[in-house]
């Protein structure tokens, strides 16, 4: 594995992750539980490593998006409760029960399927009821005229044999957006969620053990009452975005590459596919073994700068599948083998995301499986993972 690091790699700073966790913990207070969102391989950081650290630090719950992601954690000895936020086909209920995985229940049809399967298997499936309060994605629709049908559907699910409704949750659509309109929308979602809970608990005659709604935006920007029993931050935990910066959190991932080859071209040379960049003078170009197949978006072509030891170097020409080029004309000390940061502590991911007209989430999730993840503690590499089948 040693050789793989000198191509393109992602450094995952476990100390930064630990600091971020502790800061968020302090912010939410002692009586609020912490669910770490580790779906999509922990936003590209490596779900096993991240989950194990969160478990060690005392997190209370994890969330993933599919049963495969949940099983990956269970088969690697992660013991924390795991909530699947997305859909699981009923054929998998036996495995959910066997591996003690909590499933979101999002509508009447699913509740019936899960209940029937659990009954048939003679087991109990732990579930969290998902309420749609305005995200308009998954969940029992409870807004406006749908309030009472929504409430009745949830009560019915909670009383179904084979299901243990441990929790209830909702998801905010605009809690991370600025402005009064978004604040009002989020507030309305929160109020509706509370109305639904109160009505359901009244009809059931018992209380949910875990009520939760706060994602990154709500954890960072909304009052403590929004934290309820448990918070569900993802992006914030990994230290990206304006809220992370405001809270003094650190970016966990640094995406890095090296200079593989250096060429000097005369004035007027077209660089890379399509020749969208032409040199204006004698130009020293570094070829980086990093392209869109590594997770470096092609839409950033000829728009961004990457950071060398002598500072930012302009990326030139189209970003290819496996390579791209940078201009290192006035950087004599930058040589073959020199490290280049695509994003990380020196080159903020937020800037690249904006240039690519996307969000940091999409960039970290796109770091591909051929990019080894190197895990750092105390500035020393303590572990490394490569997801290729070798
Ligand atoms: C992804 C997700 C989160 C975490 O969102 P962030 O914006 O990364 O904090 C929380 N809850 C649900 C239901 C999600 O799907």
């Amino acid at each position: 594995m040693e050789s793989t690091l000198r191509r393109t790699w992602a450094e995952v700073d476990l100390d930064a992750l630990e600091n971020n966790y502790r800061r968020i913990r302090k912010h939410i207070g002692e009586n609020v539980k912490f669910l770490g969102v580790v779906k999509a391989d922990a936003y590209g950081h490596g779900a096993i490593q991240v989950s194990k650290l969160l478990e060690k630090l005392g997190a209370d719950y994890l969330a993933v998006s599919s049963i495969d992601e949940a099983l990956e954690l269970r088969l690697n000895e992660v013991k924390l409760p795991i909530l699947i936020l997305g859909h699981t086909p009923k054929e998998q209920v036996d495995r959910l029960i066997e591996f003690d995985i909590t499933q979101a229940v999002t509508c009447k049809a699913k509740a019936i399927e899960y209940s029937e399967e659990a009954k048939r298997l003679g087991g109990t499936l732990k579930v969290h009821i998902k309420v749609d309060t305005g995200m308009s994605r998954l969940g029992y629709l409870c807004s406006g005229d749908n309030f009472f049908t929504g409430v009745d559907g949830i009560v019915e699910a909670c009383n179904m044999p084979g299901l243990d409704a441990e929790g209830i949750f909702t998801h905010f659509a605009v809690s991370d957006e600025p402005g009064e309109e978004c604040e009002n929308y989020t507030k309305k979602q929160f109020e509706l969620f509370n109305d639904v809970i109160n009505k359901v608990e009244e009809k059931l005659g018992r209380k949910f053990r875990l009520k939760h709604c706060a994602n990154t935006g709500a954890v960072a920007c909304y009052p403590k009452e929004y934290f309820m029993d448990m918070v569900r931050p993802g992006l914030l935990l990994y230290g990206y975005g304006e809220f992370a910066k405001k809270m003094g959190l650190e970016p966990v991932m640094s995406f890095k590459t090296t200079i593989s080859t250096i060429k000097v071209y005369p004035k007027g040379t077209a660089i890379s596919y399509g020749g969208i960049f032409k040199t204006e003078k004698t130009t020293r170009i570094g070829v980086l073994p990093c392209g869109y197949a590594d997770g470096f978006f092609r839409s950033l072509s000829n728009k961004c700068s990457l950071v060398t030891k002598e500072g930012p170097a302009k990326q030139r020409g189209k970003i290819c599948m496996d390579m791209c080029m940078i201009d290192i004309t006035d950087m004599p000390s930058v040589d073959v083998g020199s490290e280049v940061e695509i994003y990380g502590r020196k080159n903020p991911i937020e800037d690249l995301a904006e240039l690519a007209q996307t969000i940091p989430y999409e960039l970290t999730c796109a770091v591909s499986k051929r990019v080894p993840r190197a895990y750092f503690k105390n500035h020393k590499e303590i572990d490394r993972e490569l997801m290729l089948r070798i």
Side-chain angles (χ1 to χ4, degrees):
M1 277 286 273
E2 193 53 41
S3 62
T4 57
L5 268 210
R6 297 320 293 177
R7 185 185 173 267
T8 293
W9 68 99
E11 292 180 5
V12 178
D13 183 346
L14 295 175
D15 293 313
L17 184 67
E18 178 167 344
N19 289 338
N20 293 350
Y21 170 81
R22 290 192 195 283
R23 290 216 172 188
I24 299 169
R25 260 283 184 217
K26 220 166 140 196
H27 174 75
I28 61 175
E30 271 177 14
N31 298 320
V32 177
K33 289 187 158 58
F34 187 106
L35 176 151
V37 180
V38 294
K39 65 194 182 196
D41 205 23
Y43 293 37
H45 296 69
I48 297 169
Q49 292 276 350
V50 169
S51 300
K52 284 193 167 166
L53 180 58
L54 290 177
E55 185 165 71
K56 202 183 93 192
L57 294 173
D60 301 283
Y61 232 108
L62 298 170
V64 296
S65 65
S66 71
I67 186 164
D68 292 341
E69 290 183 341
L71 288 177
E72 181 187 35
L73 297 179
R74 280 288 179 263
L75 296 176
N76 284 281
E77 265 105 53
V78 173
K79 305 271 183 333
L80 278 181
I82 300 171
L83 171 63
I84 296 179
L85 300 164
H87 170 64
T88 303
K90 65 176 193 299
E91 290 77 12
Q92 304 282 355
V93 168
D94 56 342
R95 296 213 289 171
L96 291 174
I97 294 172
E98 181 187 346
F99 288 94
D100 192 21
I101 296 162
T102 310
Q103 174 60 43
V105 169
T106 58
C107 64
K108 179 172 176 156
K110 299 269 194 302
I112 293 171
E113 284 181 356
Y114 291 152
S115 167
E116 281 177 354
E117 276 298 295
K119 244 183 356 192
R120 190 179 65 76
L121 295 158
T124 303
L125 177 65
K126 209 186 279 171
V127 298
H128 285 202
I129 304 291
K130 175 79 182 277
V131 187
D132 183 355
T133 55
M135 174 71 184
S136 310
R137 197 171 64 178
L138 290 180
Y140 283 87
L141 190 54
C142 289
S143 44
D145 292 346
N146 296 295
F147 184 79
F148 286 103
T149 26
V151 165
D152 288 344
I154 294 169
V155 170
E156 187 189 10
C158 292
N159 283 327
M160 282 182 191
L163 300 186
D164 169 21
E166 175 189 53
I168 185 162
F169 70 113
T170 195
H171 194 44
F172 293 129
V174 292
S175 64
D176 57 349
E177 307 267 354
E180 205 179 330
E181 207 174 310
C182 294
E183 263 172 50
N184 288 337
Y185 195 89
T186 305
K187 196 159 160 249
K188 260 180 77 183
Q189 280 197 269
F190 184 62
E191 282 166 5
L192 175 58
F193 185 44
N194 278 290
D195 290 346
V196 170
I197 292 172
N198 290 337
K199 202 83 206 139
V200 170
E201 287 185 338
E202 182 192 309
K203 289 199 173 192
L204 276 176
R206 61 187 146 89
K207 304 225 175 268
F208 290 99
R209 285 163 276 164
L210 290 172
K211 301 159 203 167
H212 49 107
C213 61
N215 56 357
T216 285
V219 171
C221 308
Y222 283 77
K224 277 191 177 345
E225 54 175 332
Y226 281 68
F227 305 163
M228 305 187 92
D229 296 319
M230 183 159 80
V231 295
R232 283 195 326 264
L235 197 75
L236 199 63
L237 179 61
Y238 304 108
Y240 312 116
E242 50 173 326
F243 307 133
K245 208 184 270 167
K246 267 190 214 138
M247 285 176 70
L249 308 181
E250 307 162 65
V252 173
M253 185 192 287
S254 297
F255 191 24
K256 294 185 172 178
T257 188
T258 46
I259 296 193
S260 68
T261 308
I262 293 175
K263 308 264 281 290
V264 177
Y265 296 106
K267 179 180 169 182
T269 307
I271 306 287
S272 192
Y273 288 121
I276 59 166
F277 176 78
K278 271 204 184 80
T279 55
E280 284 161 4
K281 53 176 184 178
T282 304
T283 303
R284 191 171 171 249
I285 289 281
V287 183
L288 305 177
C290 180
Y292 59 79
D294 296 286
F296 186 30
F297 286 17
R298 191 167 172 276
S299 60
L300 288 165
S301 293
N302 220 30
K303 279 187 188 160
C304 62
S305 291
L306 308 183
V307 176
T308 69
K309 63 180 160 186
E310 289 201 44
K314 288 217 149 49
Q315 191 278 318
R316 294 302 197 193
K318 286 271 190 222
I319 295 168
C320 313
M321 184 184 287
D322 310 304
M323 286 176 253
C324 67
M325 274 62 91
I326 57 172
D327 184 340
I328 47 169
T329 304
D330 299 316
M331 303 180 169
S333 79
V334 175
D335 208 343
V336 169
S338 290
E339 202 172 285
V340 176
E341 187 181 283
I342 301 159
Y343 56 76
R345 288 189 183 254
K346 297 184 200 135
N347 205 22
I349 192 171
E350 293 81 6
D351 296 352
L352 282 197
E354 201 179 318
L355 284 173
Q357 295 185 332
T358 183
I359 49 179
Y361 301 75
E362 196 180 2
L363 288 178
T364 64
C365 286
V367 173
S368 75
K369 65 181 190 225
R370 78 175 181 198
V371 176
R373 271 62 165 182
Y375 294 91
F376 280 74
K377 222 170 168 29
N378 273 324
H379 308 287
K380 277 234 294 275
E381 189 186 338
I382 57 155
D383 211 345
R384 195 181 298 179
E385 270 180 22
L386 178 63
M387 264 81 94
L388 294 181
R389 307 172 198 89
I390 54 175

